[in-house]
PDB file of all heavy atoms in Angstrom:
ATOM      1  N   VAL V  47     -11.109  -5.089  -5.253  1.00  0.00           N
ATOM      2  CA  VAL V  47     -12.028  -4.661  -6.314  1.00  0.00           C
ATOM      3  C   VAL V  47     -12.052  -5.713  -7.420  1.00  0.00           C
ATOM      4  O   VAL V  47     -11.043  -6.343  -7.713  1.00  0.00           O
ATOM      5  CB  VAL V  47     -11.546  -3.297  -6.879  1.00  0.00           C
ATOM      6  CG1 VAL V  47     -12.197  -2.967  -8.209  1.00  0.00           C
ATOM      7  CG2 VAL V  47     -11.791  -2.207  -5.865  1.00  0.00           C
ATOM      8  N   GLU V  48     -13.225  -5.900  -8.029  1.00  0.00           N
ATOM      9  CA  GLU V  48     -13.317  -6.868  -9.127  1.00  0.00           C
ATOM     10  C   GLU V  48     -13.028  -6.203 -10.469  1.00  0.00           C
ATOM     11  O   GLU V  48     -13.499  -5.101 -10.738  1.00  0.00           O
ATOM     12  CB  GLU V  48     -14.720  -7.487  -9.159  1.00  0.00           C
ATOM     13  CG  GLU V  48     -14.916  -8.492  -8.064  1.00  0.00           C
ATOM     14  CD  GLU V  48     -16.143  -9.379  -8.250  1.00  0.00           C
ATOM     15  OE1 GLU V  48     -16.835  -9.249  -9.268  1.00  0.00           O
ATOM     16  OE2 GLU V  48     -16.385 -10.206  -7.352  1.00  0.00           O
ATOM     17  N   LEU V  49     -12.257  -6.899 -11.284  1.00  0.00           N
ATOM     18  CA  LEU V  49     -11.997  -6.486 -12.664  1.00  0.00           C
ATOM     19  C   LEU V  49     -12.652  -7.526 -13.544  1.00  0.00           C
ATOM     20  O   LEU V  49     -12.226  -8.690 -13.503  1.00  0.00           O
ATOM     21  CB  LEU V  49     -10.498  -6.559 -12.971  1.00  0.00           C
ATOM     22  CG  LEU V  49      -9.552  -5.493 -12.482  1.00  0.00           C
ATOM     23  CD1 LEU V  49      -8.165  -5.780 -13.034  1.00  0.00           C
ATOM     24  CD2 LEU V  49     -10.037  -4.135 -12.910  1.00  0.00           C
ATOM     25  N   ALA V  50     -13.620  -7.144 -14.313  1.00  0.00           N
ATOM     26  CA  ALA V  50     -14.322  -8.098 -15.181  1.00  0.00           C
ATOM     27  C   ALA V  50     -14.654  -9.377 -14.398  1.00  0.00           C
ATOM     28  O   ALA V  50     -14.350 -10.491 -14.834  1.00  0.00           O
ATOM     29  CB  ALA V  50     -13.495  -8.411 -16.421  1.00  0.00           C
ATOM     30  N   GLY V  51     -15.217  -9.218 -13.189  1.00  0.00           N
ATOM     31  CA  GLY V  51     -15.733 -10.364 -12.439  1.00  0.00           C
ATOM     32  C   GLY V  51     -14.732 -11.113 -11.586  1.00  0.00           C
ATOM     33  O   GLY V  51     -15.092 -12.103 -10.938  1.00  0.00           O
ATOM     34  N   ARG V  52     -13.473 -10.658 -11.529  1.00  0.00           N
ATOM     35  CA  ARG V  52     -12.480 -11.369 -10.727  1.00  0.00           C
ATOM     36  C   ARG V  52     -11.638 -10.355  -9.958  1.00  0.00           C
ATOM     37  O   ARG V  52     -11.204  -9.355 -10.534  1.00  0.00           O
ATOM     38  CB  ARG V  52     -11.593 -12.171 -11.682  1.00  0.00           C
ATOM     39  CG  ARG V  52     -10.873 -13.237 -11.010  1.00  0.00           C
ATOM     40  CD  ARG V  52     -10.686 -14.460 -11.890  1.00  0.00           C
ATOM     41  NE  ARG V  52      -9.768 -15.297 -11.161  1.00  0.00           N
ATOM     42  CZ  ARG V  52      -8.554 -15.587 -11.581  1.00  0.00           C
ATOM     43  NH1 ARG V  52      -8.131 -15.184 -12.750  1.00  0.00           N
ATOM     44  NH2 ARG V  52      -7.764 -16.319 -10.820  1.00  0.00           N
ATOM     45  N   ARG V  53     -11.393 -10.614  -8.668  1.00  0.00           N
ATOM     46  CA  ARG V  53     -10.706  -9.623  -7.838  1.00  0.00           C
ATOM     47  C   ARG V  53      -9.254  -9.400  -8.304  1.00  0.00           C
ATOM     48  O   ARG V  53      -8.579 -10.327  -8.760  1.00  0.00           O
ATOM     49  CB  ARG V  53     -10.691 -10.067  -6.369  1.00  0.00           C
ATOM     50  CG  ARG V  53     -12.067 -10.145  -5.744  1.00  0.00           C
ATOM     51  CD  ARG V  53     -11.987 -10.452  -4.264  1.00  0.00           C
ATOM     52  NE  ARG V  53     -11.177 -11.617  -3.961  1.00  0.00           N
ATOM     53  CZ  ARG V  53     -10.963 -12.072  -2.747  1.00  0.00           C
ATOM     54  NH1 ARG V  53     -11.504 -11.464  -1.696  1.00  0.00           N
ATOM     55  NH2 ARG V  53     -10.229 -13.148  -2.545  1.00  0.00           N
ATOM     56  N   VAL V  54      -8.812  -8.151  -8.128  1.00  0.00           N
ATOM     57  CA  VAL V  54      -7.446  -7.756  -8.479  1.00  0.00           C
ATOM     58  C   VAL V  54      -6.444  -8.713  -7.833  1.00  0.00           C
ATOM     59  O   VAL V  54      -5.523  -9.228  -8.481  1.00  0.00           O
ATOM     60  CB  VAL V  54      -7.200  -6.300  -8.023  1.00  0.00           C
ATOM     61  CG1 VAL V  54      -5.731  -5.941  -8.025  1.00  0.00           C
ATOM     62  CG2 VAL V  54      -8.003  -5.338  -8.902  1.00  0.00           C
ATOM     63  N   VAL V  55      -6.601  -8.993  -6.541  1.00  0.00           N
ATOM     64  CA  VAL V  55      -5.618  -9.814  -5.827  1.00  0.00           C
ATOM     65  C   VAL V  55      -5.607 -11.245  -6.364  1.00  0.00           C
ATOM     66  O   VAL V  55      -4.539 -11.859  -6.494  1.00  0.00           O
ATOM     67  CB  VAL V  55      -5.869  -9.777  -4.298  1.00  0.00           C
ATOM     68  CG1 VAL V  55      -7.207 -10.383  -3.917  1.00  0.00           C
ATOM     69  CG2 VAL V  55      -4.741 -10.451  -3.549  1.00  0.00           C
ATOM     70  N   ASP V  56      -6.765 -11.778  -6.709  1.00  0.00           N
ATOM     71  CA  ASP V  56      -6.823 -13.150  -7.214  1.00  0.00           C
ATOM     72  C   ASP V  56      -6.122 -13.256  -8.570  1.00  0.00           C
ATOM     73  O   ASP V  56      -5.448 -14.242  -8.868  1.00  0.00           O
ATOM     74  CB  ASP V  56      -8.277 -13.617  -7.342  1.00  0.00           C
ATOM     75  CG  ASP V  56      -8.999 -13.591  -5.998  1.00  0.00           C
ATOM     76  OD1 ASP V  56      -8.320 -13.614  -4.955  1.00  0.00           O
ATOM     77  OD2 ASP V  56     -10.235 -13.524  -5.997  1.00  0.00           O
ATOM     78  N   ARG V  57      -6.284 -12.217  -9.396  1.00  0.00           N
ATOM     79  CA  ARG V  57      -5.607 -12.210 -10.698  1.00  0.00           C
ATOM     80  C   ARG V  57      -4.087 -12.186 -10.511  1.00  0.00           C
ATOM     81  O   ARG V  57      -3.350 -12.869 -11.221  1.00  0.00           O
ATOM     82  CB  ARG V  57      -6.050 -10.994 -11.524  1.00  0.00           C
ATOM     83  CG  ARG V  57      -7.488 -11.090 -12.005  1.00  0.00           C
ATOM     84  CD  ARG V  57      -7.867  -9.866 -12.842  1.00  0.00           C
ATOM     85  NE  ARG V  57      -9.228  -9.980 -13.330  1.00  0.00           N
ATOM     86  CZ  ARG V  57      -9.600 -10.667 -14.412  1.00  0.00           C
ATOM     87  NH1 ARG V  57      -8.680 -11.276 -15.146  1.00  0.00           N
ATOM     88  NH2 ARG V  57     -10.855 -10.736 -14.781  1.00  0.00           N
ATOM     89  N   SER V  58      -3.618 -11.384  -9.544  1.00  0.00           N
ATOM     90  CA  SER V  58      -2.178 -11.270  -9.330  1.00  0.00           C
ATOM     91  C   SER V  58      -1.593 -12.570  -8.779  1.00  0.00           C
ATOM     92  O   SER V  58      -0.530 -13.022  -9.212  1.00  0.00           O
ATOM     93  CB  SER V  58      -1.873 -10.111  -8.372  1.00  0.00           C
ATOM     94  OG  SER V  58      -2.249  -8.905  -8.982  1.00  0.00           O
ATOM     95  N   VAL V  59      -2.283 -13.176  -7.812  1.00  0.00           N
ATOM     96  CA  VAL V  59      -1.808 -14.457  -7.253  1.00  0.00           C
ATOM     97  C   VAL V  59      -1.752 -15.515  -8.350  1.00  0.00           C
ATOM     98  O   VAL V  59      -0.770 -16.257  -8.483  1.00  0.00           O
ATOM     99  CB  VAL V  59      -2.717 -14.924  -6.087  1.00  0.00           C
ATOM    100  CG1 VAL V  59      -2.415 -16.364  -5.702  1.00  0.00           C
ATOM    101  CG2 VAL V  59      -2.546 -13.998  -4.890  1.00  0.00           C
ATOM    102  N   ASP V  60      -2.782 -15.547  -9.180  1.00  0.00           N
ATOM    103  CA  ASP V  60      -2.836 -16.548 -10.254  1.00  0.00           C
ATOM    104  C   ASP V  60      -1.684 -16.352 -11.240  1.00  0.00           C
ATOM    105  O   ASP V  60      -1.031 -17.326 -11.658  1.00  0.00           O
ATOM    106  CB  ASP V  60      -4.189 -16.425 -10.962  1.00  0.00           C
ATOM    107  CG  ASP V  60      -4.407 -17.552 -11.934  1.00  0.00           C
ATOM    108  OD1 ASP V  60      -4.247 -18.704 -11.514  1.00  0.00           O
ATOM    109  OD2 ASP V  60      -4.698 -17.292 -13.116  1.00  0.00           O
ATOM    110  N   ALA V  61      -1.411 -15.099 -11.592  1.00  0.00           N
ATOM    111  CA  ALA V  61      -0.317 -14.830 -12.542  1.00  0.00           C
ATOM    112  C   ALA V  61       1.014 -15.330 -11.987  1.00  0.00           C
ATOM    113  O   ALA V  61       1.827 -15.911 -12.712  1.00  0.00           O
ATOM    114  CB  ALA V  61      -0.241 -13.325 -12.837  1.00  0.00           C
ATOM    115  N   MET V  62       1.242 -15.142 -10.688  1.00  0.00           N
ATOM    116  CA  MET V  62       2.523 -15.554 -10.107  1.00  0.00           C
ATOM    117  C   MET V  62       2.571 -17.061  -9.866  1.00  0.00           C
ATOM    118  O   MET V  62       3.637 -17.673  -9.966  1.00  0.00           O
ATOM    119  CB  MET V  62       2.781 -14.778  -8.806  1.00  0.00           C
ATOM    120  CG  MET V  62       2.821 -13.270  -8.980  1.00  0.00           C
ATOM    121  SD  MET V  62       3.704 -12.701 -10.453  1.00  0.00           S
ATOM    122  CE  MET V  62       5.351 -13.199 -10.016  1.00  0.00           C
ATOM    123  N   ALA V  63       1.416 -17.671  -9.591  1.00  0.00           N
ATOM    124  CA  ALA V  63       1.392 -19.129  -9.395  1.00  0.00           C
ATOM    125  C   ALA V  63       1.811 -19.852 -10.677  1.00  0.00           C
ATOM    126  O   ALA V  63       2.406 -20.930 -10.626  1.00  0.00           O
ATOM    127  CB  ALA V  63      -0.004 -19.565  -8.972  1.00  0.00           C
ATOM    128  N   ARG V  64       1.528 -19.236 -11.835  1.00  0.00           N
ATOM    129  CA  ARG V  64       1.886 -19.860 -13.114  1.00  0.00           C
ATOM    130  C   ARG V  64       3.386 -19.949 -13.325  1.00  0.00           C
ATOM    131  O   ARG V  64       3.857 -20.747 -14.132  1.00  0.00           O
ATOM    132  CB  ARG V  64       1.306 -19.041 -14.283  1.00  0.00           C
ATOM    133  CG  ARG V  64      -0.167 -19.176 -14.444  1.00  0.00           C
ATOM    134  CD  ARG V  64      -0.672 -18.129 -15.454  1.00  0.00           C
ATOM    135  NE  ARG V  64      -2.101 -18.011 -15.335  1.00  0.00           N
ATOM    136  CZ  ARG V  64      -2.954 -18.815 -15.947  1.00  0.00           C
ATOM    137  NH1 ARG V  64      -2.497 -19.753 -16.760  1.00  0.00           N
ATOM    138  NH2 ARG V  64      -4.246 -18.685 -15.774  1.00  0.00           N
TER     139      ARG V  64
END
Side-chain angles (χ1 to χ4, degrees):
V47 164
E48 285 194 2
L49 283 184
R52 199 146 170 245
R53 295 186 308 180
V54 165
V55 64
D56 300 339
R57 290 181 178 278
S58 295
V59 168
D60 189 52
M62 301 318 293
R64 287 169 196 276

